[in-house]
Structure formats: structure tokens, C-alpha cells
Amino acid sequence: MKQSIRKKSNIEIEYERAMTARKMTEKTQSTYSRFFLRYIYWLRDDNGGEWVHPESVGVEHVTRYLTWMANTKNYAASSQNTCLSALLFYYNTMLKRSLQGIDAVRAISAKHLPVCASPRDVTAMLPYLEGV
């Protein structure tokens, strides 16, 4: 089966060149590019299927996108933070525009509780340990 290869848009190429110029790692570039591309497609879908250049929108759309990520797509907090960093890179670094006032619903970080054994549990396990 033949896979189709999508041609990168000018904005994607410019975005990747800007990251390369700032010596970002390949992993960061790949991750940021994916999140930025998803944002571009979301802008299109949010605009009834019509393409919208990210330069023509700002804080309101970024806020709505990050909220959509948390509420509709259930992204993890770390993914939402990475996406925000990718978008801030575009607006702050490439467009020289500040995105002040982003007030998006934030994804909730998972609470990891430590698993502890009680003194009674430890005493019960000791006979099964060898070489300790």
C-alpha cells in the first residue's frame, strides 16, 4: 500500500527553520511542530472549514484551543503545557507578539500517591527475602 506524503506548508517550514536557528533539539522540534500543526488544523475546523492564518488570531483563539484540549480531548496537563510552549514560541519569537492574558481551562495533573507498606506488611515480607 502506498502512503501519501503531505507537502509541508510555508508556515511549517518557517516554523521549523526558526527552531533550528535557535538550536532546539530534534525531539523538541518534532513535538512543537506536531502541536503547532494541530493548532492550525483546529483553527480551520473552528472557522467552519476555512483556513485561518495563525497570525490573524491571538489570545482568544489560543485560550479556546487550550481549553478544548483539556475539556474535549482530555489531554494530559504536560501535553497542554508543551502545546502552550509551542504556540508561545510561534507568537513570541516568530511574530514578536506577546500572548498576555491566556486564561484557558487547565488539564488536571494526575495525583500520584506513594505506595507505602505498613510495619506489619514489612515484617510479613521479610521471611521471603533472600540475601538481604
Side-chain angles (χ1 to χ4, degrees), residues 83-101:
C83 181
L84 175 59
S85 295
L87 297 177
L88 287 174
F89 175 79
Y90 176 73
Y91 284 100
N92 292 345
T93 305
M94 295 182 65
L95 297 182
K96 308 285 190 242
R97 281 179 40 199
S98 177
L99 286 181
Q100 297 296 322

Side-chain angles (χ1 to χ4, degrees), residues 12-79:
E12 288 176 87
I13 294 168
E14 290 172 24
Y15 189 76
E16 289 173 1
R17 283 183 183 157
M19 289 189 290
T20 301
R22 283 157 187 80
K23 302 196 184 316
M24 292 178 151
T25 67
E26 285 184 30
K27 179 70 174 167
T28 299
Q29 289 185 36
S30 173
T31 303
Y32 276 28
S33 292
R34 278 195 319 274
F35 277 117
F36 183 64
L37 188 60
R38 287 178 191 152
Y39 174 64
I40 291 170
Y41 278 101
W42 178 86
L43 286 173
R44 181 200 61 188
D45 295 343
D46 190 54
N47 195 41
E50 295 292 322
W51 288 104
V52 176
H53 196 287
E55 187 174 356
S56 65
V57 298
V59 174
E60 178 187 334
H61 285 81
V62 170
T63 298
R64 286 192 6 239
Y65 179 63
L66 293 171
T67 299
W68 173 82
M69 287 179 74
N71 288 344
T72 306
K73 297 306 258 182
N74 296 317
Y75 273 75
S78 61
S79 296

